[in-house]
Amino acid sequence: MEMTAINEEDVQVSEVAVPEIELKDVEMRYRTDTSEVLALQRVSLSIAKGEFVSLLGPSGCGKTTLLRIMAELQQPSEGDVRVAGGTARDARLARKYGIVFQNPVLYDWRKVKANIALPLEMMGYSRAERNRRAEELLALVGLEGFGDKYPWQLSGGMQQRVAIARALSMEPEILLMDEPFSALDEFTRERLNEELLAIWTKTGNTVVFVTHSISEAVFLSDRVFVLSPHPGRLSAVADIPLPRPRTKEMRNDPAFFRLVADIRNRFEGV
Ligand code: ADP
């Protein structure tokens, strides 16, 4: 595996040919009444169009903050964010983002189909168009036939697939995922990892996936951005040269274990 350590003189190291998301010297300070927390320190990175990357690190290292900055859900204290050749605000207004959170946040009184079509409804799409698109999305996430159920009738894994379908409803270029599977049992999580890759192969999104699971990051990603805490900073970028499509058999492959071990060793002493 190629693992590139990051240091302050070398912030350009993760530049890519056609960047979709570029961060330059991003810092985030949270002020409370009594103190100030430096949550992110000089984070610079580039993510290529169509790439699948993970933001990996222990709790509190700034992963969610970084994702929220990319999505323009919050402003960095300092630094530059470019998305799809423009500002993050342009990207948000052009609906280039689909976002999936740890909790699927579905409306229990709406059928699955109506949950998936909610963004389309808000954008004024006709009922016929919403139905057509919802059926396509149900098929994409492997939930054909479940459109008329209510969320509470589905398992946690299926609910999260509904949330993914909803995030993809406006055909965003970029899919941002904040620990989407961490509340699920390991079997379900591994299956959803495989399903997510199958979806990504069809949609071609740029995916930024936040996780604190090393094996999940390795299984899914083209590259893993390793973050270290206190203050949160980018400490390494790991290329994951496993072939695609990734299969569950690969989880037993010595090459997979080596990649996981190499990244785990980065965290020793953190
Ligand atoms: P992670 O997603 O890696 O767990 P976060 O981005 O949630 O990390 O948080 C990074 C750091 O910033 C943590 O120390 C956290 O306590 C702090 N932090 C996050 N959000 C706020 C906030 N709104 N106000 C104050 N501190 C915050």
Side-chain angles (χ1 to χ4, degrees):
M1 173 178 55
E2 203 163 306
M3 178 107 67
T4 316
I6 305 292
N7 59 49
E8 288 200 2
E9 293 75 49
D10 198 18
V11 290
Q12 307 300 338
V13 76
S14 66
E15 280 200 351
V16 295
V18 186
E20 179 85 326
I21 302 176
E22 282 182 293
L23 269 52
K24 183 90 171 54
D25 292 335
V26 164
E27 300 225 347
M28 187 70 220
R29 272 173 246 108
Y30 290 112
R31 287 193 185 85
T32 63
D33 288 346
T34 51
S35 64
E36 189 178 275
V37 179
L38 182 55
L40 291 172
Q41 185 181 44
R42 291 199 63 191
V43 174
S44 297
L45 56 82
S46 294
I47 297 168
K49 195 166 166 53
E51 196 175 17
F52 196 125
V53 304
S54 291
L55 306 179
L56 172 72
S59 205
C61 70
K63 304 182 292 297
T64 294
T65 300
L66 199 52
L67 198 78
R68 288 176 57 84
I69 288 172
M70 287 178 190
E72 225 240 346
L73 295 174
Q74 69 188 71
Q75 299 295 323
S77 311
E78 272 172 55
D80 226 37
V81 181
R82 305 282 297 167
V83 179
T87 64
R89 170 147 312 172
D90 296 337
R92 184 166 57 75
L93 295 176
R95 301 182 189 281
K96 289 188 192 287
Y97 302 113
I99 307 180
V100 180
F101 300 98
Q102 182 176 342
N103 180 331
V105 212
L106 303 174
Y107 293 109
D108 262 348
W109 64 90
R110 287 184 147 237
K111 289 180 176 172
V112 163
K113 223 161 39 182
N115 267 285
I116 291 175
L118 185 61
L120 302 168
E121 199 177 315
M122 284 159 52
M123 291 304 291
Y125 284 61
S126 70
R127 179 179 292 269
E129 179 63 10
R130 291 194 318 255
N131 267 327
R132 191 190 64 73
R133 196 68 198 119
E135 291 299 337
E136 269 176 22
L137 289 157
L138 283 164
L140 180 68
V141 300
L143 287 177
E144 295 105 323
F146 287 90
D148 287 324
K149 301 268 186 223
Y150 288 94
W152 46 269
Q153 295 176 297
L154 307 184
S155 68
M158 290 162 94
Q159 290 184 18
Q160 203 49 293
R161 284 194 268 165
V162 174
I164 292 170
R166 183 184 51 197
L168 293 173
S169 64
M170 295 295 293
E171 302 186 322
E173 267 179 53
I174 299 167
L175 186 58
L176 302 175
M177 308 184 84
D178 193 354
E179 303 196 26
F181 307 139
S182 57
L184 303 172
D185 68 79
E186 204 170 334
F187 300 100
T188 306
R189 180 181 188 151
E190 290 191 353
R191 210 183 55 241
L192 282 179
N193 282 173
E194 288 147 32
E195 286 173 11
L196 173 60
L197 289 181
I199 292 167
W200 172 64
T201 304
K202 290 184 192 144
T203 59
N205 294 113
T206 305
V207 184
V208 184
F209 189 97
V210 165
T211 180
H212 48 66
S213 162
I214 302 173
S215 56
E216 184 172 50
V218 169
F219 184 76
L220 292 172
S221 308
D222 295 321
R223 289 187 301 153
V224 177
F225 292 102
V226 180
L227 295 157
S228 304
H230 313 304
R233 65 204 180 283
L234 185 57
S235 59
V237 182
D239 280 327
I240 308 297
L242 295 172
R244 293 194 186 270
R246 308 253 164 105
T247 61
K248 61 172 180 284
E249 290 72 32
M250 279 182 199
R251 294 183 190 278
N252 300 322
D253 195 306
F256 179 77
F257 290 129
R258 256 196 317 276
L259 289 160
V260 170
D262 282 348
I263 294 182
R264 186 181 298 117
N265 293 338
R266 303 287 312 185
F267 287 113
E268 277 177 9
V270 161

